[in-house]
């Protein structure tokens, strides 16, 4: 090695020793080793990150059996027409024990649609033994409809670790958790959102809106501050916060509503959420927004928000909204009038029923006017029934509204029904009126019932039987017996004859 190279090596060694000495002196002075300091910094950062985590593993609830049906529910299901065949209950149980996947699926659908709860134990046991994901999903949907918490232990187990479970089944679990208000799942739902598992965020978010509390609401409100949130997800956050009604998030939602640069749909859901919280300070915010915003869809949701308040300022805005230029705002205002039973709205509703350009608005007015039961409103509705210039569709809608409330108009509706039987030009109105009268027992309907029963039109006659089944009017019984005795010249009774025989309690001929 030449002299020059040796000098370079000596200088390098000297610099290294100097730096090492300086480090030693610093460490002695501060009492902190550099490596330890770096490690400590990482530890503090890690601890801070861990502290920010709000989710975790949810405690799995104890297993439980399904809620058992009441005797009345059992009897009601057993008396239905589709349950009267021989050995029906055994056939259902055999399907669950030995049926194909498609047969089991169809059977569960049938029971769910019929609200038949007699087989909850068999369906629960099926869930515990089946290897079919589609059957598990179908059973989850069934117990979701019943809001039965018997599968909470399974649901919480899944959201704790959903990654090896089929996506459709996980989605069904989220809906089940929402339906049965399984708050035990909250920590796991928060974790799925914190860890940003994209397949599960929306389902977890929706479920949190149904089962969370103040702590989860604050988590969702803070989640809004994430920079990369899509408009769609921000909307879902607003919906969830609206369901939670946590007042601790009120200021955040107010700021969102008042931010004109915010997505319109996000502001809409914020408006409804502010109202749902029930804070009186929301009224002034919502009212001012209604007066100033040009976005018609946002005005709809401002009325939704105001619908939670009954003070004079809120109700004044609601009354004015009945004549808003956008028909959907008018509809929302009418719905709010119905919800709050604002009798002062009747003149507005009558005017809109007479003059609105949108048929959907007119039709929305009739049942609300009938519900409010004022002399002005009742006079208007009965006048529609008796006015020959009124259209048949309008008369049918008004009759349905009047009969549902039962305050007035029954005699006029019955007379109109009799008139409709004289001319097939008004056949559809005849059917509509008969269908509505068949829902109620009212002595004013007896003469109309007889006219329907004596009609030569089969559909009209069938409606007459429905009316008699509901009212059992004594003066109509002979007409029912006449139908039961009729065979139309055939050995086998007609469908109408069989129906009349059943209503009379007679034994029907077997095939």
């Amino acid at each position: 090695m030449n002299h020059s190279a040796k000098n370079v090596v000596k200088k390098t060694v000297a610099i290294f020793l100097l730096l090492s000495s300086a480090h030693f002196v610093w460490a002695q002075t501060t009492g902190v080793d550099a490596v330890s300091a770096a490690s400590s910094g990482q530890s503090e950062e890690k601890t801070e990150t861990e502290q920010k985590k709000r989710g975790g593993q949810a405690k799995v609830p104890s297993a439980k059996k399904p809620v058992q049906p009441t005797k009345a529910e059992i009897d009601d299901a057993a008396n239905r027409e589709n349950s009267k065949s021989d050995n029906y209950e055994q056939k259902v149980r055999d399907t669950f024990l030995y049926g194909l996947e498609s047969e089991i699926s169809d059977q569960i659908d049938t029971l769910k649609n019929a609200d038949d709860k007699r087989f909850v134990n068999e369906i629960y046991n099926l869930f515990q033994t089946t290897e079919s994901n589609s059957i598990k999903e179908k059973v989850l949907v069934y117990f979701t409809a019943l809001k039965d918490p018997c599968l909470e232990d399974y649901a919480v187990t899944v959201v704790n670790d959903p990654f090896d479970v089929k996506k459709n089944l996980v989605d069904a679990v989220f809906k089940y958790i929402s339906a049965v208000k399984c708050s035990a799942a909250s920590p796991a739902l928060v974790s799925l959102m914190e860890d940003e598992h994209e397949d599960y965020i929306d389902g977890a978010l929706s479920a949190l809106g149904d089962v969370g509390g103040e702590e989860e609401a604050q988590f969702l409100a803070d989640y809004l501050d994430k920079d990369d949130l899509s408009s769609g997800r921000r909307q879902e956050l607003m919906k969830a916060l609206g369901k939670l009604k946590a007042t601790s998030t009120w200021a955040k939602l107010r700021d969102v509503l008042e931010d004109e640069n915010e997505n319109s749909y996000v502001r809409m859901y914020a408006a409804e959420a502010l109202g749902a919280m029930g804070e009186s300070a929301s009224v002034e915010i919502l009212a001012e927004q209604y007066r100033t915003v040009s976005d018609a869809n946002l005005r709809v949701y401002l009325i939704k928000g105001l619908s939670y308040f009954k003070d004079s300022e809120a109700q004044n805005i609601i009354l004015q909204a009945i004549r808003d230029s956008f028909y959907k705002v008018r509809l929302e205002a009418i719905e709010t009038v119905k919800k709050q039973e604002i009798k002062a709205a009747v003149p507005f509703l009558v005017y809109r029923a007479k003059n609105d350009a949108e048929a959907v608005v007119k039709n929305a007015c009739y049942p609300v006017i009938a519900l409010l039961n004022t002399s002005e409103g009742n006079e208007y509705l009965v006048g529609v029934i008796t006015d020959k210039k009124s259209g048949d569709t309008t008369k049918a809608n008004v009759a349905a509204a009047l009969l549902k409330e039962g305050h007035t108009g029954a005699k006029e509706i019955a007379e109109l029904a009799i008139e409709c039987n004289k001319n097939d030009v008004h056949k559809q109105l005849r059917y509509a009126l008969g269908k509505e009268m068949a829902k109620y027992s009212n002595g004013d309907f007896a003469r109309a019932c007889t006219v329907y029963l004596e009609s030569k039109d089969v559909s009209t006659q069938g409606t007459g039987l429905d009316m008699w089944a509901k009212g059992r009017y004594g003066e109509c019984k002979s007409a029912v017996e006449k139908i039961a005795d009729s065979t139309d010249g055939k050995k086998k009774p007609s469908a109408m004859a069989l129906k009349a025989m059943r209503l009379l309690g007679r034994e029907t001929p077997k095939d």
Side-chain angles (χ1 to χ4, degrees), residues 438-495:
K439 296 177 182 178
Y440 314 98
S441 177
N442 189 319
D444 290 331
F445 300 158
R447 191 161 67 90
C449 180
T450 299
V451 172
Y452 274 70
L453 290 168
E454 293 176 346
S455 174
K456 294 180 180 180
D457 178 66
V458 174
S459 296
T460 302
Q461 198 176 80
T463 302
L465 288 173
D466 293 336
M467 292 168 65
W468 189 78
K470 186 66 178 180
R472 298 284 170 168
Y473 311 115
E475 64 190 82
C476 305
K477 187 174 181 180
S478 60
V480 177
E481 291 173 335
K482 185 176 180 180
I483 294 173
D485 294 335
S486 171
T487 60
D488 294 330
K490 302 175 183 177
K491 292 183 179 180
K492 183 178 179 180
S494 66

Side-chain angles (χ1 to χ4, degrees), residues 6 50 58 82 94 140 143 148 189 213 223 243 254 298 324 326 349 420-421 504:
K6 289 180 178 180
E50 288 176 344
N82 66 335
D94 286 346
L140 270 166
F143 283 117
D148 191 319
L189 298 173
Y223 202 89
K243 289 188 287 186
R254 176 204 58 201
L298 178 53
D324 191 280
F326 186 44
L349 298 177
C420 288
N421 273 271
L504 292 166

Side-chain angles (χ1 to χ4, degrees), residues 119-363:
F119 306 95
V120 290
N121 293 328
E122 288 81 358
I123 295 175
Y124 175 83
N125 292 335
L126 173 66
F127 186 88
Q128 307 303 322
T129 58
T130 185
E131 298 294 334
S132 167
N133 284 319
S134 65
I135 293 299
K136 282 184 178 291
E137 182 181 348
K138 188 69 70 171
V139 174
L140 270 166
V141 171
Y142 175 80
F143 283 117
T144 296
L146 295 184
K147 295 181 172 58
D148 191 319
C150 63
L151 298 178
E152 276 188 317
D153 56 325
Y154 172 81
V156 174
T157 300
V158 168
V159 292
N160 272 335
D161 184 13
F163 308 107
D164 293 327
V165 181
K166 291 288 187 181
K167 179 66 165 53
N168 288 348
L169 195 52
V170 178
D171 290 341
V173 164
F174 285 135
K175 292 175 182 176
Y176 175 80
I177 286 171
S178 290
V180 302
K181 307 297 182 189
C182 179
S183 58
S186 294
L189 298 173
V190 170
S191 282
L192 290 173
M193 293 188 65
E194 283 181 322
D195 296 339
E196 299 190 341
H197 295 294
E198 192 62 32
D199 283 346
Y200 309 117
I201 290 178
D202 289 334
L205 169 56
S206 179
L208 269 179
D210 289 308
V211 305
E214 283 281 345
E215 186 176 343
E216 288 76 24
Q218 192 57 58
F219 165 73
L220 295 179
D222 293 342
Y223 202 89
L224 276 169
D225 295 332
K226 294 173 70 68
D227 294 330
D228 57 347
L229 285 180
S230 66
S231 294
R233 190 152 287 160
R234 288 177 69 80
Q235 292 170 39
E236 293 304 314
L237 279 163
M238 283 296 142
K239 289 180 183 178
L241 287 168
K243 289 188 287 186
L244 289 173
K245 303 178 183 179
T247 55
S248 61
T249 64
W250 184 89
K252 170 88 74 171
L253 298 188
R254 176 204 58 201
D255 292 344
V256 170
L257 172 60
E258 294 181 336
D259 184 357
E260 294 182 1
N261 295 319
E262 179 61 87
N263 175 271
S264 177
Y265 289 97
V266 176
R267 294 178 72 193
M268 286 159 51
Y269 294 123
E272 185 175 14
L274 280 173
M277 288 179 186
E279 291 290 299
S280 59
S282 297
V283 174
E284 184 177 350
I285 303 293
L286 295 168
E288 181 60 25
Q289 287 288 312
Y290 179 83
R291 295 186 189 103
T292 57
V293 299
S294 58
D295 186 329
N297 287 309
L298 178 53
R299 292 203 303 276
V300 172
Y301 279 78
L302 290 165
I303 297 301
K304 284 181 183 287
L306 286 167
S307 73
Y308 291 92
F309 303 95
K310 294 185 176 182
D311 61 86
S312 58
E313 183 177 9
Q315 291 196 346
N316 181 60
I317 293 291
I318 291 161
L319 291 178
Q320 296 307 313
I322 298 173
R323 53 181 186 172
D324 191 280
S325 59
F326 186 44
Y327 81 97
K328 288 186 179 179
V329 178
R330 302 199 294 276
L331 286 172
E332 192 60 44
I334 293 166
E335 184 61 29
T336 301
V337 168
K338 176 183 177 182
K339 174 181 175 181
Q340 297 190 8
E341 297 190 16
I342 305 174
K343 291 185 182 292
V346 170
F348 292 84
L349 298 177
V350 170
Y351 186 89
R352 293 261 58 88
K354 290 178 179 179
N355 301 294
D356 206 281
E358 299 289 343
V360 66
V361 174
K362 290 184 175 184
N363 290 334

Side-chain angles (χ1 to χ4, degrees), residues 370-441:
L371 169 71
L372 296 175
N373 190 29
T374 66
S375 56
E376 179 184 358
N378 291 341
E379 182 181 347
Y380 164 69
L381 293 177
V382 174
V384 171
I385 294 297
T386 57
D387 186 355
K388 293 184 178 180
K389 294 180 181 178
S390 300
D392 284 2
T393 300
T394 299
K395 287 180 176 179
N397 291 332
V398 169
L402 285 169
L403 292 179
K404 180 180 179 181
E405 300 305 329
H407 301 308
T408 188
K411 290 181 180 179
E412 290 81 0
I413 291 168
E415 288 298 324
L416 177 60
I418 292 169
E419 285 298 313
C420 288
N421 273 271
K422 296 177 180 179
N423 193 330
D424 279 353
V425 170
H426 302 291
K427 182 187 290 186
Q428 295 307 314
L429 178 57
R430 180 204 309 165
Y431 295 156
L433 295 176
K435 181 179 178 181
E436 291 301 323
M437 288 188 291
K439 296 177 182 178
Y440 314 98
S441 177

